[in-house]
PDB file of all heavy atoms in Angstrom:
ATOM      1  N   MET O 445      -2.044   5.091 -22.852  1.00 98.00           N
ATOM      2  CA  MET O 445      -2.469   6.469 -22.556  1.00 98.00           C
ATOM      3  C   MET O 445      -1.290   7.428 -22.485  1.00 98.00           C
ATOM      4  O   MET O 445      -1.383   8.579 -22.930  1.00 98.00           O
ATOM      5  CB  MET O 445      -3.204   6.527 -21.207  1.00 98.00           C
ATOM      6  CG  MET O 445      -4.587   5.951 -21.248  1.00 98.00           C
ATOM      7  SD  MET O 445      -5.357   6.067 -19.613  1.00 98.00           S
ATOM      8  CE  MET O 445      -5.876   7.800 -19.606  1.00 98.00           C
ATOM      9  N   VAL O 446      -0.183   6.957 -21.891  1.00 98.00           N
ATOM     10  CA  VAL O 446       0.987   7.825 -21.767  1.00 98.00           C
ATOM     11  C   VAL O 446       1.452   8.264 -23.153  1.00 98.00           C
ATOM     12  O   VAL O 446       1.793   9.426 -23.387  1.00 98.00           O
ATOM     13  CB  VAL O 446       2.112   7.099 -20.984  1.00 98.00           C
ATOM     14  CG1 VAL O 446       3.465   7.751 -21.210  1.00 98.00           C
ATOM     15  CG2 VAL O 446       1.769   7.105 -19.502  1.00 98.00           C
ATOM     16  N   GLU O 447       1.420   7.326 -24.102  1.00 98.00           N
ATOM     17  CA  GLU O 447       1.840   7.697 -25.456  1.00 98.00           C
ATOM     18  C   GLU O 447       0.761   8.481 -26.220  1.00 98.00           C
ATOM     19  O   GLU O 447       1.055   9.509 -26.815  1.00 98.00           O
ATOM     20  CB  GLU O 447       2.220   6.438 -26.252  1.00 98.00           C
ATOM     21  CG  GLU O 447       2.507   6.773 -27.692  1.00 98.00           C
ATOM     22  CD  GLU O 447       3.514   5.885 -28.363  1.00 98.00           C
ATOM     23  OE1 GLU O 447       4.461   5.429 -27.726  1.00 98.00           O
ATOM     24  OE2 GLU O 447       3.347   5.655 -29.560  1.00 98.00           O
ATOM     25  N   ASN O 448      -0.460   8.007 -26.170  1.00 98.00           N
ATOM     26  CA  ASN O 448      -1.464   8.557 -27.091  1.00 98.00           C
ATOM     27  C   ASN O 448      -2.368   9.628 -26.498  1.00 98.00           C
ATOM     28  O   ASN O 448      -2.966  10.405 -27.243  1.00 98.00           O
ATOM     29  CB  ASN O 448      -2.329   7.415 -27.632  1.00 98.00           C
ATOM     30  CG  ASN O 448      -1.515   6.474 -28.478  1.00 98.00           C
ATOM     31  OD1 ASN O 448      -1.094   6.825 -29.569  1.00 98.00           O
ATOM     32  ND2 ASN O 448      -1.234   5.295 -27.946  1.00 98.00           N
ATOM     33  N   VAL O 449      -2.496   9.656 -25.172  1.00 98.00           N
ATOM     34  CA  VAL O 449      -3.325  10.693 -24.550  1.00 98.00           C
ATOM     35  C   VAL O 449      -2.448  11.824 -24.023  1.00 98.00           C
ATOM     36  O   VAL O 449      -2.661  12.991 -24.320  1.00 98.00           O
ATOM     37  CB  VAL O 449      -4.199  10.116 -23.409  1.00 98.00           C
ATOM     38  CG1 VAL O 449      -5.031  11.212 -22.763  1.00 98.00           C
ATOM     39  CG2 VAL O 449      -5.089   8.997 -23.941  1.00 98.00           C
ATOM     40  N   PHE O 450      -1.415  11.439 -23.256  1.00 98.00           N
ATOM     41  CA  PHE O 450      -0.581  12.468 -22.620  1.00 98.00           C
ATOM     42  C   PHE O 450       0.665  12.836 -23.438  1.00 98.00           C
ATOM     43  O   PHE O 450       1.291  13.855 -23.171  1.00 98.00           O
ATOM     44  CB  PHE O 450      -0.156  12.008 -21.220  1.00 98.00           C
ATOM     45  CG  PHE O 450      -1.318  11.732 -20.303  1.00 98.00           C
ATOM     46  CD1 PHE O 450      -1.557  10.464 -19.799  1.00 98.00           C
ATOM     47  CD2 PHE O 450      -2.192  12.749 -19.954  1.00 98.00           C
ATOM     48  CE1 PHE O 450      -2.633  10.207 -18.960  1.00 98.00           C
ATOM     49  CE2 PHE O 450      -3.266  12.511 -19.109  1.00 98.00           C
ATOM     50  CZ  PHE O 450      -3.498  11.235 -18.611  1.00 98.00           C
ATOM     51  N   HIS O 451       1.035  11.982 -24.394  1.00 98.00           N
ATOM     52  CA  HIS O 451       2.216  12.245 -25.236  1.00 98.00           C
ATOM     53  C   HIS O 451       3.468  12.519 -24.411  1.00 98.00           C
ATOM     54  O   HIS O 451       4.210  13.468 -24.669  1.00 98.00           O
ATOM     55  CB  HIS O 451       1.949  13.400 -26.204  1.00 98.00           C
ATOM     56  CG  HIS O 451       0.747  13.176 -27.072  1.00 98.00           C
ATOM     57  ND1 HIS O 451       0.747  12.313 -28.145  1.00 98.00           N
ATOM     58  CD2 HIS O 451      -0.507  13.674 -27.001  1.00 98.00           C
ATOM     59  CE1 HIS O 451      -0.449  12.297 -28.697  1.00 98.00           C
ATOM     60  NE2 HIS O 451      -1.235  13.106 -28.018  1.00 98.00           N
ATOM     61  N   LEU O 452       3.693  11.687 -23.405  1.00 98.00           N
ATOM     62  CA  LEU O 452       4.881  11.854 -22.565  1.00 98.00           C
ATOM     63  C   LEU O 452       6.051  11.073 -23.165  1.00 98.00           C
ATOM     64  O   LEU O 452       5.851  10.064 -23.844  1.00 98.00           O
ATOM     65  CB  LEU O 452       4.608  11.337 -21.141  1.00 98.00           C
ATOM     66  CG  LEU O 452       3.466  12.023 -20.391  1.00 98.00           C
ATOM     67  CD1 LEU O 452       3.309  11.423 -19.000  1.00 98.00           C
ATOM     68  CD2 LEU O 452       3.703  13.528 -20.298  1.00 98.00           C
ATOM     69  N   PRO O 453       7.278  11.532 -22.890  1.00 97.00           N
ATOM     70  CA  PRO O 453       8.440  10.866 -23.499  1.00 97.00           C
ATOM     71  C   PRO O 453       8.812   9.530 -22.850  1.00 97.00           C
ATOM     72  O   PRO O 453       9.535   8.734 -23.453  1.00 97.00           O
ATOM     73  CB  PRO O 453       9.574  11.884 -23.301  1.00 97.00           C
ATOM     74  CG  PRO O 453       9.148  12.721 -22.146  1.00 97.00           C
ATOM     75  CD  PRO O 453       7.646  12.776 -22.177  1.00 97.00           C
ATOM     76  N   ILE O 454       8.343   9.316 -21.584  1.00 98.00           N
ATOM     77  CA  ILE O 454       8.801   8.136 -20.829  1.00 98.00           C
ATOM     78  C   ILE O 454       7.627   7.440 -20.146  1.00 98.00           C
ATOM     79  O   ILE O 454       6.779   8.105 -19.520  1.00 98.00           O
ATOM     80  CB  ILE O 454       9.817   8.558 -19.729  1.00 98.00           C
ATOM     81  CG1 ILE O 454      11.079   9.163 -20.347  1.00 98.00           C
ATOM     82  CG2 ILE O 454      10.179   7.364 -18.820  1.00 98.00           C
ATOM     83  CD1 ILE O 454      11.973   9.902 -19.349  1.00 98.00           C
ATOM     84  N   PHE O 455       7.566   6.103 -20.284  1.00 98.00           N
ATOM     85  CA  PHE O 455       6.695   5.292 -19.420  1.00 98.00           C
ATOM     86  C   PHE O 455       7.607   4.469 -18.537  1.00 98.00           C
ATOM     87  O   PHE O 455       8.446   3.717 -19.027  1.00 98.00           O
ATOM     88  CB  PHE O 455       5.783   4.378 -20.251  1.00 98.00           C
ATOM     89  CG  PHE O 455       4.845   3.556 -19.408  1.00 98.00           C
ATOM     90  CD1 PHE O 455       3.791   4.157 -18.741  1.00 98.00           C
ATOM     91  CD2 PHE O 455       5.018   2.189 -19.271  1.00 98.00           C
ATOM     92  CE1 PHE O 455       2.923   3.407 -17.938  1.00 98.00           C
ATOM     93  CE2 PHE O 455       4.161   1.428 -18.482  1.00 98.00           C
ATOM     94  CZ  PHE O 455       3.111   2.046 -17.815  1.00 98.00           C
ATOM     95  N   TYR O 456       7.455   4.612 -17.213  1.00 98.00           N
ATOM     96  CA  TYR O 456       8.377   3.993 -16.265  1.00 98.00           C
ATOM     97  C   TYR O 456       7.659   2.896 -15.501  1.00 98.00           C
ATOM     98  O   TYR O 456       6.737   3.167 -14.748  1.00 98.00           O
ATOM     99  CB  TYR O 456       8.878   5.082 -15.303  1.00 98.00           C
ATOM    100  CG  TYR O 456      10.091   4.736 -14.446  1.00 98.00           C
ATOM    101  CD1 TYR O 456      11.163   5.617 -14.369  1.00 98.00           C
ATOM    102  CD2 TYR O 456      10.170   3.565 -13.703  1.00 98.00           C
ATOM    103  CE1 TYR O 456      12.280   5.343 -13.576  1.00 98.00           C
ATOM    104  CE2 TYR O 456      11.284   3.274 -12.919  1.00 98.00           C
ATOM    105  CZ  TYR O 456      12.329   4.168 -12.860  1.00 98.00           C
ATOM    106  OH  TYR O 456      13.420   3.894 -12.068  1.00 98.00           O
ATOM    107  N   MET O 457       8.082   1.642 -15.731  1.00 98.00           N
ATOM    108  CA  MET O 457       7.570   0.517 -14.930  1.00 98.00           C
ATOM    109  C   MET O 457       8.459   0.390 -13.699  1.00 98.00           C
ATOM    110  O   MET O 457       9.614  -0.032 -13.796  1.00 98.00           O
ATOM    111  CB  MET O 457       7.592  -0.781 -15.745  1.00 98.00           C
ATOM    112  CG  MET O 457       6.618  -0.757 -16.914  1.00 98.00           C
ATOM    113  SD  MET O 457       6.704  -2.275 -17.917  1.00 98.00           S
ATOM    114  CE  MET O 457       5.816  -3.448 -16.870  1.00 98.00           C
ATOM    115  N   GLU O 458       7.918   0.777 -12.565  1.00 98.00           N
ATOM    116  CA  GLU O 458       8.702   0.896 -11.333  1.00 98.00           C
ATOM    117  C   GLU O 458       8.387  -0.255 -10.374  1.00 98.00           C
ATOM    118  O   GLU O 458       7.319  -0.288  -9.766  1.00 98.00           O
ATOM    119  CB  GLU O 458       8.386   2.245 -10.673  1.00 98.00           C
ATOM    120  CG  GLU O 458       8.974   2.468  -9.292  1.00 98.00           C
ATOM    121  CD  GLU O 458      10.499   2.468  -9.279  1.00 98.00           C
ATOM    122  OE1 GLU O 458      11.087   1.380  -9.452  1.00 98.00           O
ATOM    123  OE2 GLU O 458      11.066   3.554  -9.078  1.00 98.00           O
ATOM    124  N   TYR O 459       9.324  -1.208 -10.312  1.00 98.00           N
ATOM    125  CA  TYR O 459       9.184  -2.339  -9.387  1.00 98.00           C
ATOM    126  C   TYR O 459      10.113  -2.159  -8.183  1.00 98.00           C
ATOM    127  O   TYR O 459      10.383  -3.144  -7.482  1.00 98.00           O
ATOM    128  CB  TYR O 459       9.549  -3.644 -10.083  1.00 98.00           C
ATOM    129  CG  TYR O 459       8.505  -4.235 -11.002  1.00 98.00           C
ATOM    130  CD1 TYR O 459       8.468  -3.918 -12.351  1.00 98.00           C
ATOM    131  CD2 TYR O 459       7.562  -5.147 -10.525  1.00 98.00           C
ATOM    132  CE1 TYR O 459       7.539  -4.494 -13.209  1.00 98.00           C
ATOM    133  CE2 TYR O 459       6.627  -5.731 -11.372  1.00 98.00           C
ATOM    134  CZ  TYR O 459       6.626  -5.398 -12.707  1.00 98.00           C
ATOM    135  OH  TYR O 459       5.700  -5.975 -13.546  1.00 98.00           O
ATOM    136  N   SER O 460      10.604  -0.974  -7.978  1.00 97.00           N
ATOM    137  CA  SER O 460      11.600  -0.684  -6.946  1.00 97.00           C
ATOM    138  C   SER O 460      11.656  -1.708  -5.811  1.00 97.00           C
ATOM    139  O   SER O 460      10.685  -1.891  -5.089  1.00 97.00           O
ATOM    140  CB  SER O 460      11.298   0.694  -6.355  1.00 97.00           C
ATOM    141  OG  SER O 460      12.275   1.026  -5.412  1.00 97.00           O
ATOM    142  N   GLY O 461      12.800  -2.376  -5.669  1.00 97.00           N
ATOM    143  CA  GLY O 461      12.983  -3.320  -4.571  1.00 97.00           C
ATOM    144  C   GLY O 461      12.656  -4.760  -4.909  1.00 97.00           C
ATOM    145  O   GLY O 461      13.003  -5.665  -4.156  1.00 97.00           O
ATOM    146  N   THR O 462      12.011  -4.997  -6.043  1.00 98.00           N
ATOM    147  CA  THR O 462      11.731  -6.388  -6.414  1.00 98.00           C
ATOM    148  C   THR O 462      11.849  -6.541  -7.935  1.00 98.00           C
ATOM    149  O   THR O 462      11.632  -5.585  -8.682  1.00 98.00           O
ATOM    150  CB  THR O 462      10.327  -6.829  -5.936  1.00 98.00           C
ATOM    151  OG1 THR O 462      10.219  -8.244  -6.062  1.00 98.00           O
ATOM    152  CG2 THR O 462       9.220  -6.185  -6.747  1.00 98.00           C
ATOM    153  N   TYR O 463      12.223  -7.751  -8.354  1.00 98.00           N
ATOM    154  CA  TYR O 463      12.388  -7.996  -9.794  1.00 98.00           C
ATOM    155  C   TYR O 463      11.015  -8.237 -10.420  1.00 98.00           C
ATOM    156  O   TYR O 463      10.203  -9.003  -9.904  1.00 98.00           O
ATOM    157  CB  TYR O 463      13.307  -9.210 -10.000  1.00 98.00           C
ATOM    158  CG  TYR O 463      13.737  -9.411 -11.426  1.00 98.00           C
ATOM    159  CD1 TYR O 463      14.514  -8.464 -12.075  1.00 98.00           C
ATOM    160  CD2 TYR O 463      13.359 -10.551 -12.127  1.00 98.00           C
ATOM    161  CE1 TYR O 463      14.913  -8.649 -13.388  1.00 98.00           C
ATOM    162  CE2 TYR O 463      13.764 -10.747 -13.448  1.00 98.00           C
ATOM    163  CZ  TYR O 463      14.537  -9.789 -14.068  1.00 98.00           C
ATOM    164  OH  TYR O 463      14.924  -9.971 -15.373  1.00 98.00           O
ATOM    165  N   GLY O 464      10.753  -7.580 -11.519  1.00 98.00           N
ATOM    166  CA  GLY O 464       9.420  -7.613 -12.117  1.00 98.00           C
ATOM    167  C   GLY O 464       9.207  -8.765 -13.084  1.00 98.00           C
ATOM    168  O   GLY O 464       9.974  -9.721 -13.125  1.00 98.00           O
ATOM    169  N   ASP O 465       8.154  -8.622 -13.859  1.00 98.00           N
ATOM    170  CA  ASP O 465       7.708  -9.678 -14.767  1.00 98.00           C
ATOM    171  C   ASP O 465       8.147  -9.336 -16.197  1.00 98.00           C
ATOM    172  O   ASP O 465       7.577  -8.441 -16.822  1.00 98.00           O
ATOM    173  CB  ASP O 465       6.167  -9.761 -14.672  1.00 98.00           C
ATOM    174  CG  ASP O 465       5.586 -10.748 -15.661  1.00 98.00           C
ATOM    175  OD1 ASP O 465       6.345 -11.351 -16.449  1.00 98.00           O
ATOM    176  OD2 ASP O 465       4.351 -10.898 -15.658  1.00 98.00           O
ATOM    177  N   PRO O 466       9.170 -10.035 -16.709  1.00 98.00           N
ATOM    178  CA  PRO O 466       9.671  -9.699 -18.048  1.00 98.00           C
ATOM    179  C   PRO O 466       8.610  -9.839 -19.135  1.00 98.00           C
ATOM    180  O   PRO O 466       8.632  -9.101 -20.124  1.00 98.00           O
ATOM    181  CB  PRO O 466      10.804 -10.702 -18.280  1.00 98.00           C
ATOM    182  CG  PRO O 466      10.999 -11.450 -17.030  1.00 98.00           C
ATOM    183  CD  PRO O 466       9.883 -11.156 -16.090  1.00 98.00           C
ATOM    184  N   GLN O 467       7.663 -10.782 -18.941  1.00 98.00           N
ATOM    185  CA  GLN O 467       6.622 -10.940 -19.977  1.00 98.00           C
ATOM    186  C   GLN O 467       5.705  -9.722 -20.040  1.00 98.00           C
ATOM    187  O   GLN O 467       5.262  -9.304 -21.111  1.00 98.00           O
ATOM    188  CB  GLN O 467       5.794 -12.191 -19.698  1.00 98.00           C
ATOM    189  CG  GLN O 467       6.579 -13.440 -20.052  1.00 98.00           C
ATOM    190  CD  GLN O 467       5.819 -14.709 -19.738  1.00 98.00           C
ATOM    191  OE1 GLN O 467       4.879 -14.710 -18.935  1.00 98.00           O
ATOM    192  NE2 GLN O 467       6.238 -15.791 -20.355  1.00 98.00           N
ATOM    193  N   LEU O 468       5.436  -9.145 -18.868  1.00 98.00           N
ATOM    194  CA  LEU O 468       4.613  -7.927 -18.864  1.00 98.00           C
ATOM    195  C   LEU O 468       5.386  -6.759 -19.478  1.00 98.00           C
ATOM    196  O   LEU O 468       4.813  -5.950 -20.220  1.00 98.00           O
ATOM    197  CB  LEU O 468       4.154  -7.593 -17.433  1.00 98.00           C
ATOM    198  CG  LEU O 468       3.274  -6.345 -17.311  1.00 98.00           C
ATOM    199  CD1 LEU O 468       2.023  -6.453 -18.191  1.00 98.00           C
ATOM    200  CD2 LEU O 468       2.874  -6.103 -15.848  1.00 98.00           C
ATOM    201  N   VAL O 469       6.682  -6.701 -19.194  1.00 98.00           N
ATOM    202  CA  VAL O 469       7.498  -5.630 -19.788  1.00 98.00           C
ATOM    203  C   VAL O 469       7.452  -5.755 -21.321  1.00 98.00           C
ATOM    204  O   VAL O 469       7.303  -4.760 -22.038  1.00 98.00           O
ATOM    205  CB  VAL O 469       8.948  -5.677 -19.255  1.00 98.00           C
ATOM    206  CG1 VAL O 469       9.792  -4.565 -19.868  1.00 98.00           C
ATOM    207  CG2 VAL O 469       8.966  -5.556 -17.722  1.00 98.00           C
ATOM    208  N   GLU O 470       7.522  -6.979 -21.804  1.00 98.00           N
ATOM    209  CA  GLU O 470       7.445  -7.208 -23.256  1.00 98.00           C
ATOM    210  C   GLU O 470       6.094  -6.742 -23.818  1.00 98.00           C
ATOM    211  O   GLU O 470       6.023  -6.073 -24.852  1.00 98.00           O
ATOM    212  CB  GLU O 470       7.660  -8.695 -23.556  1.00 98.00           C
ATOM    213  CG  GLU O 470       7.629  -9.003 -25.036  1.00 98.00           C
ATOM    214  CD  GLU O 470       7.972 -10.467 -25.349  1.00 98.00           C
ATOM    215  OE1 GLU O 470       7.951 -11.308 -24.418  1.00 98.00           O
ATOM    216  OE2 GLU O 470       8.252 -10.744 -26.525  1.00 98.00           O
TER     217      GLU O 470
END
Side-chain angles (χ1 to χ4, degrees):
M445 286 180 80
V446 162
E447 174 150 326
N448 295 290
V449 179
F450 301 117
H451 304 285
L452 300 180
I454 297 166
F455 182 70
Y456 194 131
M457 293 178 76
E458 173 63 289
Y459 282 91
S460 183
T462 192
Y463 190 64
D465 175 358
Q467 285 178 340
L468 181 57
V469 180
E470 181 175 15

